Structure formats: structure tokens, C-alpha cells
Amino acid sequence: MKSSKQLMLIYGFLSGIISIGLVLLQYFTNSYNSSSLIKLFFGIFPVFMLSLFIFLGIYQSKERSFRQMLKIGLGISLLFSIITSIFWVIFIKYIHPDLLNTLNTIQLEVFITENPNATPEEITQLKESMEKGKSLWAQFNFSVVSNMLFGFIISLLGSSFSKIVQRQR
């Protein structure tokens, strides 16, 4: 069996690389404004892969205490978060600097379509909040926090599930 640190490094790195691959695939196929099914795939698949790697890390670990299993899951999600956040900042700074403008335009069009009675003030407020979120620091922080939140929930579920299975044996 591999040590906890090895499992965190292997599965955290793999999930980060797969997520980066999916971002690049989405970029090269220009599928930001495509069908709902494709958007769902690019939104759900990275979470699914992170979940799979967290479950595998917990399952393959020597540790059987809830606390240690939770640490392994959080370690995997932390490495995943850092890798993907750094890549995301590099991606929006150097590879596709117009991405946030494109996504904001799509979001604004959807808002106007869904809210045809929106006042100009509401639209202006939405534009201002979108502009505030375009800074690299905000993007990095949002990416880390959201990925760690998903990772914590998945780790909690994986550790709980593993503990339940242990008790039934």
C-alpha cells in the first residue's frame, strides 16, 4: 500500500492534470457557448474526476480513522485546487485573455433574455459586479475556495462511506 502523502500527490496531481486537459479541450473546441449538454459535461466531469480520485485515495490508504481519511481527501483536493487555480490564472492572463469578457457577455445576454423587464440600473449593477470579479486575484481565490469546498464535501462523504463500510465488515 502507498503512504497517505503518495496517494495525495498522485491523485491530486492526476485530477489537476485532467481538469487542465478539459479546460484546454473546451478552449480548442470553442465550446463556451455551445449546447447545454456540452456545458454540463465540462462543468460536471472535473467534479466527477475529483470525486473518483478522492474516493480512490481514501480506499487505497492504510489509514482507517475518519480523521485521517478526511485528511487524505482534503490533501487531494488541496493539490487539485492549487494546480487548477494557478493554471486558470495563467490561462486567463496569457492564453485566452478575452475569456472573462466572453463569459461575462454570455452571462449578460442570458440575464437580459431571462429578465426582459430588467431595469437599466440592474443591468449596470450586474456589469459592475462582473468587472470586479475579473481581477486575477479574485479569480485565483474563487477557484481555490470553490474547489476546496467541493473537495471538503466529497472527502466528508467518502470518509463517512468508508467508515460505514468498515463497521459492516
Side-chain angles (χ1 to χ4, degrees):
M1 283 201 170
K2 295 178 179 155
S3 73
S4 299
K5 288 181 184 178
Q6 287 176 321
L7 290 170
M8 286 185 237
L9 289 173
I10 291 168
Y11 289 129
F13 185 74
L14 280 174
S15 59
I17 294 301
I18 289 171
S19 181
I20 289 171
L22 287 170
V23 169
L24 291 174
L25 178 65
Q26 188 177 19
Y27 170 68
F28 288 124
T29 59
N30 198 22
S31 56
Y32 297 111
N33 200 12
S34 53
S35 73
S36 297
L37 187 60
I38 292 173
K39 284 192 264 186
L40 182 68
F41 170 76
F42 284 115
I44 297 295
F45 195 70
V47 175
F48 172 75
M49 291 307 300
L50 178 62
S51 303
L52 176 68
F53 287 130
I54 287 173
F55 277 97
L56 282 173
I58 290 171
Y59 176 76
Q60 291 181 352
S61 73
K62 298 182 231 179
E63 307 297 337
R64 291 294 154 219
S65 73
F66 181 80
R67 185 178 189 188
Q68 288 302 106
M69 290 186 287
L70 189 61
K71 272 188 195 177
I72 291 168
L74 286 173
I76 293 168
S77 64
L78 178 65
L79 189 57
F80 167 79
S81 296
I82 290 170
I83 290 170
T84 56
S85 298
I86 290 170
F87 173 75
W88 182 245
V89 168
I90 292 168
F91 185 75
I92 61 175
K93 176 78 174 169
Y94 301 108
I95 299 173
H96 192 7
D98 200 41
L99 175 67
L100 294 179
N101 290 331
T102 303
L103 295 177
N104 286 347
T105 303
I106 293 168
Q107 198 173 22
L108 190 61
E109 288 172 1
V110 168
F111 176 78
I112 292 171
T113 303
E114 290 178 355
N115 302 302
N117 297 329
T119 65
E121 291 84 23
E122 291 174 332
I123 294 172
T124 304
Q125 284 178 340
L126 181 61
K127 286 180 183 179
E128 288 173 2
S129 68
M130 287 177 178
E131 284 299 316
K132 288 178 187 174
K134 283 175 45 175
S135 77
L136 294 178
W137 186 246
Q139 290 296 314
F140 180 81
N141 287 333
F142 177 74
S143 182
V144 168
V145 169
S146 62
N147 287 327
M148 284 303 295
L149 178 65
F150 283 128
F152 175 71
I153 293 168
I154 295 164
S155 299
L156 194 59
L157 291 171
S159 301
S160 300
F161 181 74
S162 185
K163 265 320 229 190
I164 291 169
V165 169
Q166 280 179 2
R167 288 186 183 155
Q168 291 179 354
R169 286 186 187 172

